[in-house]
Amino acid sequence: MHFDITSLDPCSNARAGVLHTDHGDIPTPIFMPVGTAGTVKAVHQHELRTDIDAKIILGNTYHLYLRPGLDTLRAAGGLHRFNGWERPMLTDSGGFQVFSLADSRKITEEGCKFQSHIDGSRHLFTPERVMDIERVIGADIIMAFDECCPGNAPYNYAKKSMELTHRWLDRCVARYNETEPLYGYQQALFPIVQGCQYSDLRKQSAEYIASKDALGYAIGGLAVGEPTEVMYQMVEVVNAILPQDSPRYLMGVGTPANILESIERGIDMFDCVMPTRNGRNGMLFTSRGTINIKNKKWERCFEPIDPDSGAEADRVYTLAYLHHLFKAEELLGLQIASIHNLHFYLWLVGEARRHILSGDFSSWKRGIVDRLSVRI
C-alpha cells in the first residue's frame, strides 16, 4: 500500500492523490460511505458500485464483532467475501462506539469493558484484542484503538485521554507487527491523533503519532460538539505536523461545507453517516443547498432532484415523486434519498479533485461553499 500525491493547489493546502491498495486504487480527496454492520443502510452493493461509484466503504469493529461475530467472518474469509464488496474497505476500531456507550462501559489502562447494546452481554476491548478482531474482519485499512473524549472535555481529562490513546497505540503497533494478515493481502494500520479542542494537546499528539512511521494517519475526536471553527483550527495544527507524503483521514466529518473547508486545509479522506442518516429522514444535499423533501412545497415540483450532480436518480426521479414516497412511507423513498446523497458527496469530492488538478480549487470552493448550506 502506498500513496502518491499528484497535484497541489497553488493557493491552499489542498492536494489530489491516489492511495494504492490490494483491492484497488482510491483517488483522493475521497468520501467513504459508512457501512457500519457490513452494509451501507438502504443501499445495495450494486448501487454502491454503479450509481454511486464508491471507491472505498467503512465497516465498524464494535458492531461486526458483536454481529455477525468473528467465527462467521473468519469462516467466510473476511468481510470482503462475506458482503460481496471487492473494492477497498476501512474498519473503525470501535473507539467512537465506546465513547457513545458512556452509561455501559468502563475505561481502564487495560482497555474498555462494555455491555453489548444488543443483549447486555459483557466484553473487553484491549488494543491487542482490537488488532486481532480487525485482522479477522480483514479491511485494507485498520484503525488503532483510541479513546474519543467529548469535544468540551476539561483540559486535564483530555490530556489523560490523549496519553492513554498513545499508550494504547504502542500496544496496537506491537500487536500489528507480530501478526500477519489472514487473507493474502496487505492491511495498513492508521494511528489516530486526539487532544480534544486544545491546540497544545493536538500538537503533542500529532508529533507522537507522526513518529510511528505509519502508511497513513487519522484525526479523531472532532465534530463531537466543539464549534466548527475550532475543528478547522485543530485540523490546521495537526496537518502542519503530520507527514506531507501520507494520506490524512478526518474521522466522522461531516457536512459538504465541512468537507470542502477541510480539503482546503490538507485532508484527503472523509467518512460520515450524514448522507444516509439525513437522507432517510428526508434531507437531500444538492449543489444548490439542502432540501427537506417532506415539505409541501415539493408536492408538485416536477424538476429533477439535482440536475448538476449527474446521478441516475436525479435523471429519473422528480422532487414531487420523492415527496410522495416519503409521505406514503414507501421504502423506495429512503433508498432514493440515500443513493442521491451518497452520489452527491462523491460528486463533490470528485469536483474538488478536478479543480485541484486544474489549479483553481480555491476560487471554485469560494463560489460553492456558502451555497451548500442554504435551505431551499
Side-chain angles (χ1 to χ4, degrees):
M1 186 179 296
H2 64 280
F3 181 60
D4 295 324
I5 296 176
T6 55
S7 184
L8 299 172
D9 180 60
C11 300
S12 74
N13 290 317
R15 69 256 196 97
V18 181
L19 178 58
H20 304 275
T21 80
D22 288 342
H23 281 101
D25 293 344
I26 305 165
T28 63
I30 194 66
F31 179 82
M32 304 178 284
V34 177
T36 301
T39 175
V40 178
K41 290 186 185 299
V43 181
H44 194 282
Q45 271 82 320
H46 171 75
E47 293 153 343
L48 285 170
R49 295 186 195 98
T50 57
D51 298 358
I52 298 165
D53 194 21
K55 304 300 184 184
I56 176 174
I57 62 173
L58 268 68
N60 180 263
T61 294
Y62 166 85
H63 288 279
L64 292 167
Y65 161 79
L66 291 176
R67 187 169 55 192
L70 300 185
D71 290 344
T72 297
L73 289 169
R74 187 189 289 271
L79 184 57
H80 283 93
R81 292 184 178 178
F82 184 65
N83 72 353
W85 180 254
E86 73 280 6
R87 297 181 182 182
M89 281 195 282
L90 179 153
T91 42
D92 185 358
S93 69
F96 181 79
Q97 282 64 40
V98 168
F99 158 70
S100 67
L101 294 170
D103 295 332
S104 57
R105 51 85 167 159
K106 181 179 180 181
I107 297 173
T108 66
E109 188 68 33
E110 180 185 17
C112 179
K113 297 178 180 178
F114 62 90
Q115 284 185 269
S116 165
H117 71 286
I118 298 170
D119 59 10
S121 57
R122 296 182 182 276
H123 305 268
L124 171 65
F125 271 10
T126 65
E128 295 81 7
R129 180 62 170 151
V130 167
M131 290 295 95
D132 292 346
I133 294 169
E134 292 193 86
R135 288 296 199 195
V136 172
I137 296 171
D140 302 83
I141 300 171
I142 61 179
M143 306 308 299
F145 191 48
D146 65 328
E147 183 191 1
C148 178
C149 65
N152 59 353
Y155 182 88
N156 287 340
Y157 179 91
K159 186 173 188 294
K160 290 179 180 179
S161 174
M162 177 198 73
E163 291 168 345
L164 179 63
T165 288
H166 293 173
R167 294 192 297 273
W168 282 358
L169 172 61
D170 290 340
R171 292 164 58 188
C172 284
V173 170
R175 189 64 159 203
Y176 172 80
N177 287 335
E178 66 188 23
T179 58
E180 296 290 336
L182 299 177
Y183 309 115
Y185 53 86
Q186 185 184 14
Q187 293 180 283
L189 174 62
F190 280 24
I192 302 173
V193 175
Q194 289 290 351
C196 203
Q197 59 182 330
Y198 304 105
S199 295
D200 62 324
L201 297 184
R202 286 286 174 180
K203 183 175 183 294
Q204 290 177 42
S205 188
E207 290 171 346
Y208 192 84
I209 296 309
S211 72
K212 299 304 173 182
D213 194 28
L215 289 170
Y217 302 87
I219 305 173
L222 294 175
V224 289
E226 79 285 350
T228 302
E229 289 306 317
V230 171
M231 176 176 72
Y232 298 150
Q233 180 188 357
M234 296 303 103
V235 168
E236 292 171 1
V237 168
V238 170
N239 279 350
I241 298 167
L242 292 181
Q244 299 295 306
D245 57 354
S246 299
R248 303 158 177 162
Y249 164 30
L250 182 56
M251 304 179 75
V253 176
T255 67
N258 290 159
I259 288 174
L260 292 185
E261 294 287 356
S262 300
I263 289 173
E264 187 174 50
R265 290 162 170 82
I267 295 295
D268 306 295
M269 303 168 67
F270 303 88
D271 80 284
C272 190
V273 298
M274 189 172 287
T276 47
R277 179 178 291 171
N278 288 27
R280 295 194 305 274
N281 286 287
M283 175 180 279
L284 306 179
F285 296 98
T286 78
S287 57
R288 297 167 292 163
T290 59
I291 290 173
N292 182 348
I293 198 61
K294 296 179 182 180
N295 287 347
K296 188 175 177 62
K297 66 185 291 184
W298 308 113
E299 185 175 22
R300 296 190 179 181
C301 182
F302 302 108
E303 299 176 1
I305 299 170
D306 185 0
D308 294 332
S309 71
E312 182 179 356
D314 298 341
R315 295 192 298 271
V316 175
Y317 305 114
T318 65
L319 290 161
Y321 180 60
L322 192 51
H323 171 83
H324 157 72
L325 293 177
F326 270 87
K327 285 299 182 181
E329 299 184 351
E330 288 286 346
L331 295 179
L332 180 59
L334 312 186
Q335 187 177 21
I336 292 173
S338 298
I339 292 170
H340 162 80
N341 280 351
L342 286 173
H343 182 278
F344 174 76
Y345 269 61
L346 268 295
W347 170 84
L348 186 66
V349 295
E351 284 293 286
R353 176 182 171 82
R354 185 170 69 83
H355 284 283
I356 294 169
L357 292 172
S358 64
D360 64 348
F361 169 80
S362 293
S363 59
W364 168 78
K365 177 251 177 184
R366 285 194 298 271
I368 193 174
V369 70
D370 290 337
R371 189 165 76 243
L372 296 174
S373 301
V374 172
R375 297 284 182 133
I376 304 175

